[in-house]
């Protein structure tokens, strides 16, 4: 078990550019979550997948944001036409729907996005 | 709608002293409660969780928390802190009818001084 991994760890982009982040969950976890964390705040829920199905999206997720999990394994989060307000830490988490770790979400190290 | 309030943004404490980090929640349904710790430039690590049963739950690193339904609280405690406990601590809630997303508080910065 290597834990949840996220790439890249840091991304600096210019306003208006598109960026894509990747999350690899723990292998046996079928649930995957994206959160956004800004400075001095707790993480805010963005979206959630069970296998390849995207089951919930936050109102925070504007039309410029899209997430996919095509084969129920890794997931990507894309932000189009980035704005300075998108600067944040993007966290990915995964969980298992059964067993002693039920309802426990395991977080990756995050991708820090800076939009200049 | 669910919400979490962490009343203290910062808690300074000396090493080996006890500490309590406060968390209150608001929910119209039964909830599951969690405490996470975040070290600088790292993701979140689960300290402990309350799902049901005993209201006193024990977690990793010597932390424990007590669920109080009447006061809608889930305070985190440690009898003796170490320098290495310096970090940001987040309380989170998820509804038992929608256990998929976590609602986090704004965090409490625990600063342990020698």
């Amino acid at each position: 078990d290597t834990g949840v991994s996220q790439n890249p760890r840091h991304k600096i982009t210019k306003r208006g550019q598109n960026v894509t982040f990747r999350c690899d969950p723990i292998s046996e976890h079928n649930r995957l979550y994206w959160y956004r964390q800004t400075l001095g705040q707790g993480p805010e829920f963005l979206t959630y997948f069970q296998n390849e199905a995207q089951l919930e999206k936050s109102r925070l997720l504007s039309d410029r944001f899209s997430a996919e999990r095509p084969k129920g394994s890794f997931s990507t989060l894309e932000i189009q036409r980035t704005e300075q307000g998108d600067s944040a830490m993007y966290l990915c988490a995964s969980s298992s729907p059964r067993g002693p770790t039920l309802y426990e979400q395991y977080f990756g190290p995050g991708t820090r996005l800076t939009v200049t | 709608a669910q919400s979490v309030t962490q009343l203290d943004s910062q808690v300074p404490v000396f090493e080996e002293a006890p500490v309590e980090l406060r968390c209150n929640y608001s929910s119209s349904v039964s909830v599951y409660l969690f405490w996470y710790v975040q070290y600088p430039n790292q993701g979140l690590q689960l300290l402990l969780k309350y799902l049901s049963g005993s209201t006193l739950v024990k977690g990793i690193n010597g932390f424990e928390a007590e669920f109080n339904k009447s006061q809608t609280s889930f305070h985190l405690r440690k009898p003796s802190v170490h320098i290495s406990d310096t970090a940001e601590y987040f309380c989170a809630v998820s509804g038992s009818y929608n256990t998929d997303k976590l609602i986090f508080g704004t965090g409490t910065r625990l600063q342990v001084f020698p």
Side-chain angles (χ1 to χ4, degrees), chain A residues 9 31 33 35 37 40-43 45 48 56 91 100-105 107-109 112, chain B residues 32 34 36 38 41-46 49 51 90 98-107:
Chain A
R9 294 290 307 275
R31 295 179 177 177
Y33 315 79
Y35 294 84
Q37 185 179 21
Q41 299 296 316
F45 170 79
Y48 153 68
E56 187 171 352
L91 295 166
T101 62
L102 184 63
Y103 304 134
E104 293 180 14
Q105 294 186 23
F107 283 80
R112 182 169 296 284
Chain B
Y32 299 150
F34 307 81
Y36 282 84
Q38 186 175 34
N41 299 315
Q42 294 187 27
L44 284 79
Q45 180 183 9
L46 180 67
K49 66 181 180 185
L51 302 183
F90 292 96
N98 177 19
T99 58
D100 302 315
K101 66 183 180 187
L102 294 172
I103 307 298
F104 286 88
T106 52

Side-chain angles (χ1 to χ4, degrees), chain B:
Chain B
Q2 297 167 329
S3 65
V4 175
T5 301
Q6 292 183 248
L7 296 168
D8 306 304
S9 59
Q10 294 186 65
V11 173
V13 64
F14 286 108
E15 196 173 20
E16 297 183 6
V19 70
E20 179 180 82
L21 305 184
R22 296 181 294 168
C23 172
N24 287 87
Y25 68 92
S26 173
S27 177
S28 58
V29 299
S30 297
V31 296
Y32 299 150
L33 293 156
F34 307 81
W35 275 99
Y36 282 84
V37 60
Q38 186 175 34
Y39 299 101
N41 299 315
Q42 294 187 27
L44 284 79
Q45 180 183 9
L46 180 67
L47 281 176
L48 48 78
K49 66 181 180 185
Y50 171 79
L51 302 183
S52 65
S54 173
T55 57
L56 183 64
V57 292
K58 295 188 182 298
I60 62 171
N61 301 341
F63 284 94
E64 64 181 31
E66 186 160 16
F67 171 62
N68 188 319
K69 188 175 181 179
S70 63
Q71 296 187 5
T72 60
S73 68
F74 190 55
H75 301 332
L76 181 71
R77 302 186 184 102
K78 187 170 183 178
S80 176
V81 295
H82 302 287
I83 295 286
S84 60
D85 293 323
T86 295
E88 192 84 21
Y89 291 80
F90 292 96
C91 181
V93 63
S94 67
S96 59
Y97 298 139
N98 177 19
T99 58
D100 302 315
K101 66 183 180 187
L102 294 172
I103 307 298
F104 286 88
T106 52
T108 297
R109 169 77 176 164
L110 176 63
Q111 181 73 53
V112 182
F113 294 95

